[in-house]
Amino acid sequence: MRSIFRRYWFLAALLLVVVSGFTFSPNLRVLPELKLLRNTIVVTVLFLMAFPLAFGDLHKAVQRPKAAMLATFINAGLLPVFAWIVSLLTFGDFAIGINLMAAIPCTLASAAVWTRRAGGNDSVALIVTIVTNSLCFLITPFWLLWTTGSQITITVWPDEASGGLSLVSMMTSLLLLVMLPMLAGQLARLIPYAGHWATRNKFTLGIFAQLGVLCMVLLGCISCGLKLRNLPTDQMPTILSFAVMMVLVLGLHFGTLLLGIGVSRQLRLPRQEEIAIAFAGSQKTLMIGLAIATEFYTANPLAILPMVTYHVGQLLLDTAVAESYIAAEIEKIESSPGESE
């Protein structure tokens, strides 16, 4: 029972938070309006995610950068294009949410965790994490300009008259809310014994980071719930549109993961690097996406639903994929001639 709880507590809590946010949105309507609260959660979570990450043992992956470059290209280059194509099959906030989900960087923790769990090269996953998150203040705004620019007003400089999204404002916000907390987390490791303490307590710090993510999901769902309550009946999303969105999002993630596996095998890369490319190339961070959505897409609150769906989907699907890699390796070992004698 304890092992089941440890594995699935976040998914259960995520479901509870989503239901609570929608159900009690009128009573909690003041929370999404507290910008200081939202930014504090984002900064704290990203610091907690970056603090335990030890980047000192990445020299081998840096010396052989092909796998990391391929995973980065898939995550930050191909996946946003695939998402834009997929988003044409839906509309409104769901289309924006799919594009927003694809434009954000790789996860700060789970890509490396799932890679390590499946027996892959987690150093490759960490490099993808570093590169995509470090450059997100440049890459993400311009992907959103291309993929959502026809649906909302996007300007280079802040323009109150247009009431749209400003590229400069988003870049500045991502620099302050993403880059600085990550940098602070790594600099904190230079304090004597701090790095070793963070590494030893990675699991505990991860729990607190996940609680912060749940808080951000709650804020987003409250905004969604309020928007749904105020929508005219003819503009309400249907059950069919929800189902289509879920199929598109889950298919996008799984298809990108399979693409990473297929390309890796075509290039005859080692199995350990194949695993890293599959997970790091297809996983996306929920935290930064929620921060962008609640800051710049306030007129499209339902846009968080594709991101939450993608996050839950990658947790479930990638767990199954990791287990299949483990099972295949065990079968290979058991069937080897040396073991059967």
Side-chain angles (χ1 to χ4, degrees):
M1 180 66 71
R2 181 176 297 179
S3 62
I4 295 176
F5 176 78
R6 287 177 60 133
R7 178 176 294 185
Y8 298 111
W9 76 268
F10 182 78
L11 292 177
L14 187 61
L15 177 62
L16 178 62
V17 163
V18 170
V19 172
S20 300
F22 280 101
T23 303
F24 301 107
S25 55
N27 307 93
L28 304 173
R29 62 186 312 132
V30 68
L31 294 180
E33 300 172 2
L34 301 176
K35 185 175 181 178
L36 178 61
L37 172 65
R38 186 171 66 243
N39 290 345
T40 300
I41 295 173
V42 173
V43 169
T44 302
V45 169
L46 292 176
F47 175 85
L48 292 176
M49 286 181 171
F51 189 27
L53 296 180
F55 296 150
D57 55 352
L58 303 180
H59 57 280
K60 290 184 180 179
V62 173
Q63 290 174 349
R64 297 180 53 187
K66 182 188 295 185
M69 291 174 63
L70 176 58
T72 300
F73 176 67
I74 293 174
N75 191 289
L78 293 181
L79 183 49
V81 176
F82 297 154
W84 174 72
I85 296 172
V86 167
S87 72
L88 299 178
L89 301 176
T90 184
F91 56 89
D93 288 8
F94 288 166
I96 291 176
I98 290 173
N99 286 308
L100 176 54
M101 169 273 301
I104 56 182
C106 180
T107 56
L108 282 167
S110 62
V113 171
W114 260 255
T115 298
R116 187 183 308 118
R117 179 176 180 177
N121 187 340
D122 57 342
S123 294
V124 171
L126 284 175
I127 289 178
V128 178
T129 293
I130 297 168
V131 173
T132 57
N133 281 272
S134 298
L135 297 180
C136 76
F137 75 100
L138 294 175
I139 295 175
T140 298
F142 285 98
W143 271 126
L144 293 176
L145 172 64
W146 181 59
T147 59
T148 69
S150 62
Q151 296 160 288
I152 62 173
T153 302
I154 298 181
T155 60
V156 176
W157 300 99
D159 184 2
E160 294 184 4
S162 68
L165 183 153
S166 162
L167 288 181
V168 172
S169 296
M170 182 181 291
M171 290 169 66
T172 303
S173 179
L174 287 174
L175 188 64
L176 295 175
L177 294 179
V178 178
M179 282 294 295
L180 290 186
M182 288 182 60
L183 179 61
Q186 285 300 289
L187 291 177
R189 295 183 61 86
L190 300 178
I191 300 173
Y193 305 109
H196 295 294
W197 180 88
T199 302
R200 290 197 310 270
N201 293 275
K202 179 185 292 187
F203 178 79
T204 302
L205 293 174
I207 295 295
F208 282 104
Q210 288 176 301
L211 292 175
V213 172
L214 291 174
C215 291
M216 285 298 294
V217 173
L218 176 63
L219 296 181
C221 289
I222 293 170
S223 298
C224 277
L226 293 173
K227 176 66 179 291
L228 286 173
R229 292 172 186 274
N230 294 326
L231 278 179
T233 305
D234 58 342
Q235 296 182 22
M236 289 283 289
T238 62
I239 295 177
L240 178 60
S241 66
F242 271 105
V244 169
M245 180 272 291
M246 292 178 66
V247 170
L248 292 176
V249 167
L250 296 179
L252 180 63
H253 172 69
F254 196 58
T256 306
L257 186 146
L258 293 179
L259 173 66
I261 294 175
V263 173
S264 301
R265 293 181 178 177
Q266 286 294 317
L267 296 176
R268 300 185 183 279
L269 295 177
R271 176 182 178 276
Q272 291 80 4
E273 294 184 356
E274 172 193 310
I275 295 171
I277 292 168
F279 290 131
S282 61
Q283 288 197 8
K284 292 290 184 176
T285 179
L286 179 62
M287 195 66 216
I288 295 174
L290 291 173
I292 295 174
T294 54
E295 176 75 16
F296 296 101
Y297 288 84
T298 54
N300 309 96
L302 300 186
I304 76 159
L305 293 180
M307 290 188 291
V308 173
T309 302
Y310 194 94
H311 187 76
V312 174
Q314 74 185 17
L315 291 176
L316 292 174
L317 293 174
D318 292 3
T319 298
V321 172
E323 295 296 332
S324 69
Y325 270 115
I326 295 171
E329 186 65 17
I330 293 175
E331 182 179 352
K332 179 181 177 181
I333 294 173
E334 291 178 345
S335 62
S336 63
E339 291 293 325
S340 60
E341 293 178 355

